[in-house]
């Protein structure tokens, strides 16, 4: 644990030195595991992790509520439907039946497609988990939330 912990600041430096990639230019991203930060200009907005960075960016820009977690979160905020729920009312599936929400989701997906991503490859699952949280806290990414309910 301590060895992984001491590596987190070094991984953050590596991430911040990385060249940003357009989210829509997925071919520049590896089919490898790692942690990523989605940014709008210099503003770091969202941190995530994936076993396949290229596929994850494809998902983020797909516009499908179950895959495009960041765009969906933006759409919830923009529409005022910010309370996530596991009940039918307010669920992803139900929101995606609401034409007003669908329109907001489309706008948010377009916004995400115009963002960039920084990434660092990390093979170890535990280090990925630790670094995702560390990175979100260090960069104050406003759209990360680590609640389970």
């Amino acid at each position: 644990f301590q060895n992984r912990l001491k590596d987190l600041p070094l991984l953050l430096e590596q991430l911040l030195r990385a060249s940003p990639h357009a989210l829509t230019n997925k071919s520049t991203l590896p089919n490898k595991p790692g942690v990523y930060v989605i940014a709008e200009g210099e503003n770091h907005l969202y941190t995530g992790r994936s076993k396949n960075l290229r596929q994850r960016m494809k998902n983020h820009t797909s516009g499908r509520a179950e895959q495009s977690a960041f765009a969906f979160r933006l759409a919830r905020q923009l529409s005022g439907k910010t309370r996530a729920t596991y009940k039918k009312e307010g669920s992803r599936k139900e929101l995606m039946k609401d034409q007003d929400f669908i329109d907001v989701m489309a706008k948010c997906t377009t916004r995400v497609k115009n963002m960039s991503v920084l990434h660092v490859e990390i093979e170890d699952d535990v280090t990925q988990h630790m670094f995702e949280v560390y990175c979100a806290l260090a960069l104050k990414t406003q759209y990360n939330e680590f609640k389970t309910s």
Side-chain angles (χ1 to χ4, degrees):
F1 178 79
Q2 292 299 324
N3 286 338
R4 287 181 172 124
L5 194 60
K6 74 174 177 53
D7 289 341
L8 300 181
L10 300 172
L11 286 169
L12 183 62
E13 287 178 30
Q14 182 182 345
L15 177 92
L16 293 174
R17 282 194 315 265
S19 298
H21 300 269
L23 256 72
T24 54
N25 191 2
K26 291 165 244 353
S27 65
T28 62
L29 294 165
N31 290 315
K32 302 251 181 176
V35 173
Y36 61 89
V37 175
I38 297 175
E40 207 166 32
E42 298 293 317
N43 194 12
H44 301 114
L45 301 175
Y46 182 79
T47 300
R49 64 181 189 82
S50 178
K51 63 182 177 182
N52 185 324
L53 291 162
R54 182 181 300 175
Q55 182 61 47
R56 187 68 189 113
M57 293 314 109
K58 185 177 179 180
N59 291 348
H60 271 301
T61 58
S62 75
R64 297 181 61 202
E66 67 277 4
Q67 293 181 330
S68 305
F70 181 47
F72 188 79
R73 183 165 291 166
L74 292 173
R76 275 193 181 277
Q77 181 186 50
L78 190 59
S79 68
K81 299 177 191 281
T82 56
R83 180 143 167 76
T85 180
Y86 293 103
K87 297 177 184 175
K88 184 177 179 179
E89 184 180 330
S91 69
R92 285 179 192 240
K93 187 175 181 179
E94 286 299 306
L95 284 172
M96 291 308 288
K97 293 178 183 176
D98 176 339
Q99 189 58 52
D100 290 337
F101 189 84
I102 291 168
D103 294 343
V104 171
M105 180 70 179
K107 288 178 187 174
C108 291
T109 300
T110 299
R111 180 180 172 197
V112 170
K113 285 179 179 180
N114 289 308
M115 293 181 186
S116 62
V117 63
L118 299 168
H119 74 279
V120 61
E121 291 178 28
I122 302 172
E123 294 282 338
D124 180 71
D125 289 335
V126 173
T127 303
Q128 278 184 26
H129 280 279
M130 291 173 63
F131 185 60
E132 178 187 18
V133 174
Y134 178 86
C135 190
L137 295 173
L139 297 177
K140 298 180 174 98
T141 54
Q142 68 189 74
Y143 293 102
N144 281 96
E145 186 176 280
F146 296 102
K147 296 179 185 177
T148 56
S149 61

